[in-house]
Amino acid sequence: MTIRQNLEHIHQQIENACLAAGRNKSAVKLLAVSKTKPVTDIQAAIDAGQRAFGENYVQEGVEKIQFFATKHPELEWHFIGPLQSNKTRLVAEHFDWMQTVDRAKIADRLNDQRPADKAPLNVLIQINISDEASKSGIRPEEMAALAKHIENRPHLRLRGLMAIPAPSDDIGEQEKALNAMKNLFEQLQALCPNQQIDTLSMGMTDDMASAIKCGSTMVRIGTAIFGARNYG
């Protein structure tokens, strides 16, 4: 199948999941995860109507952003990988969203390095909802303090939460973690009423339907759009 056909299929799956959950399909945004993929594949997705892309590697992402900057300035670029403090400037200067903020130091550096002529950087706090040692993100009980810290940074705009729950073939286990994220998201909305807390980024190919059922507003899909990744 072509990238256009894959996107059509994913959009149909999102619509079906929204229908089953009693939600409007417009409530869920599709983020195309384009890490390791060439600009020709991204162009094919753009030609099919996709406008939001997620990248995990800073330098690769910046190169793609610069490649499309003149021809497609309307594209929205999200950084969705773990970020080392020595790479914050590149994210602050080039990306529109940073989905994996997990400590105050990173938030401070992003705030201080965001160019004055750009809109505030949209940020999500990453929660390690399954308490996995191998995953980035903060513990749920640390969310409030980090949210309040970000709220006072003028060049950042707190938009919500992001998570990568542990994979599971058990739908019940999937939904337990996803519902825990929904509860945290609602807590964040109550905690920061003056912020535009509207984004709950969770759900990938294997748990997309469950994530939408549990309130996700953004699903991150890569392989099902672009095919298997080449890490060579």
Side-chain angles (χ1 to χ4, degrees):
M1 293 175 69
T2 65
I3 288 172
R4 177 182 293 274
Q5 289 170 324
N6 289 340
L7 279 165
E8 290 172 352
H9 182 62
I10 293 295
H11 279 294
Q12 187 61 57
Q13 288 183 305
I14 291 172
E15 185 172 353
N16 292 344
C18 286
L19 186 64
R23 301 178 64 194
N24 192 301
K25 65 179 181 179
S26 64
V28 180
K29 183 172 187 171
L30 172 60
L31 184 69
V33 179
S34 46
K35 66 177 181 180
T36 80
K37 294 301 177 180
V39 293
T40 49
D41 284 2
I42 296 173
Q43 184 63 59
I46 294 169
D47 293 342
Q50 182 65 26
R51 290 296 179 269
F53 295 89
E55 290 287 332
N56 286 57
Y57 308 116
V58 177
Q59 192 60 51
E60 177 190 345
V62 169
E63 289 172 3
K64 291 173 181 177
I65 291 168
Q66 292 175 330
F67 181 87
F68 287 107
T70 302
K71 187 177 180 182
H72 291 288
E74 78 282 4
L75 298 183
E76 186 177 281
W77 293 94
H78 295 237
F79 188 76
I80 59 173
L83 182 62
Q84 297 172 318
S85 58
N86 65 341
K87 298 286 183 68
T88 53
R89 182 175 295 279
L90 288 172
V91 172
E93 291 180 346
H94 295 280
F95 284 82
D96 304 299
W97 287 70
M98 164 57 175
Q99 292 206 16
T100 52
V101 174
D102 60 359
R103 54 197 187 278
K105 177 183 178 181
I106 292 292
D108 289 344
R109 290 178 66 88
L110 291 168
N111 177 74
D112 294 345
Q113 294 167 346
R114 184 68 170 174
D117 62 343
K118 284 183 174 286
L121 180 67
N122 297 293
V123 301
L124 302 180
I125 294 172
Q126 183 174 0
I127 305 292
N128 188 347
I129 196 63
S130 301
D131 195 24
E132 293 179 275
S134 62
K135 293 271 177 69
S136 301
I138 62 171
R139 296 190 301 271
E141 60 268 25
E142 298 173 314
M143 178 190 73
L146 184 54
K148 284 300 182 182
H149 187 86
I150 293 170
E151 195 174 23
N152 292 316
R153 299 300 174 272
H155 303 297
L156 304 181
R157 180 180 292 127
L158 181 60
R159 296 292 295 272
L161 303 176
M162 179 268 210
I164 309 171
S168 175
D169 294 329
D170 184 327
I171 297 296
E173 283 299 308
Q174 272 187 3
E175 294 184 1
K176 181 179 178 182
L178 295 165
N179 275 318
M181 281 301 302
K182 180 183 179 182
N183 291 336
L184 281 175
F185 181 63
E186 291 171 349
Q187 290 174 32
L188 183 62
Q189 289 175 317
L191 181 70
C192 302
N194 297 321
Q195 298 290 307
Q196 185 184 351
I197 308 297
D198 58 3
T199 303
L200 180 54
S201 173
M202 62 182 191
M204 297 183 285
T205 301
D206 291 338
D207 62 351
M208 181 175 69
S210 292
I212 290 171
K213 178 183 176 181
C214 296
S216 172
T217 70
M218 182 181 293
V219 292
R220 308 181 305 270
I221 308 297
T223 303
I225 297 172
F226 297 109
R229 297 187 181 98
N230 177 14
Y231 291 103

